[in-house]
Amino acid sequence: MIAKRLIVWAVLALMACVFMAGLAQQQAIQQAKVTMADIDNALTKGPVFIEFETAECGYCRQQRPITQQLETEYTGKVTFFYVDAVENRDLAKAFMVTGVPQMDVIAKKADGKYTYIDRNGAPSDSISASRFMGLTQKDALKKALDAAIQARK
């Protein structure tokens, strides 16, 4: 009888741990609301990297550590925003988010228009031609970030 109770308690404790780990993982990628004004303000200081994601997206959870490594490497040079596409629908619509993860590198804003950087490191005024879709490796993003920094000089 005591052994059965111990087993029941152990199973309940294990289930609670699994639930809390899943909740912590979901909370880890949720962010506060981000506005166009936040992005524009950050662009006065340097390039901006925006990652659109959702809590349920498995590829987003894989992308986040890659992006966070870059955030550490580019501290003081690039501002990073992590945007929940569900919670920030207006911003996701403005950036034409069609799937997650989607990443955008913005070098600057001039005359009311953003200058994006594409996979080849080339500037573009087309968000659809320059966005990074799906799980993207560090080297591809690094190339765009380096080009965005150069475009500011």
Side-chain angles (χ1 to χ4, degrees):
M1 186 70 157
I2 293 175
K4 286 183 182 180
R5 284 186 184 172
L6 285 175
I7 291 171
V8 168
W9 280 106
V11 168
L12 287 174
L14 180 62
M15 288 173 57
C17 288
V18 168
F19 173 77
M20 293 305 288
L23 185 60
Q25 188 173 33
Q26 279 187 344
Q27 288 176 345
I29 70 167
Q30 292 177 353
Q31 297 295 319
K33 279 250 190 217
V34 177
T35 66
M36 292 300 265
D38 296 327
I39 294 166
D40 291 347
N41 185 43
L43 281 168
T44 64
K45 300 170 193 141
V48 168
F49 179 94
I50 307 170
E51 183 173 316
F52 289 94
E53 56 195 10
T54 64
E56 298 80 23
C57 170
Y59 289 118
C60 299
R61 288 191 293 272
Q62 292 176 41
Q63 184 66 52
R64 180 59 86 89
I66 295 168
T67 306
Q68 287 175 322
Q69 287 176 1
L70 289 168
E71 184 176 14
T72 300
E73 291 176 30
Y74 287 86
T75 298
K77 298 176 188 170
V78 177
T79 301
F80 284 73
F81 288 104
Y82 300 95
V83 180
D84 185 310
V86 174
E87 295 295 320
N88 292 272
R89 290 184 193 274
D90 290 339
L91 194 63
K93 184 177 178 181
F95 282 89
M96 298 195 253
V97 175
T98 58
V100 289
Q102 174 180 313
M103 291 141 291
D104 300 290
V105 177
I106 307 171
K108 58 188 170 184
K109 183 177 183 179
D111 300 323
K113 294 184 180 181
Y114 292 123
T115 299
Y116 301 96
I117 303 296
D118 69 15
R119 288 184 174 277
N120 298 317
S124 173
D125 62 354
S126 170
I127 191 166
S128 59
S130 60
R131 65 182 159 210
F132 294 80
M133 291 294 297
L135 186 59
T136 306
Q137 295 306 312
K138 184 177 175 181
D139 290 341
L141 296 171
K142 196 171 174 105
K143 185 175 187 177
L145 291 169
D146 290 339
I149 292 168
Q150 286 301 314
R152 299 280 303 209
K153 294 182 178 181

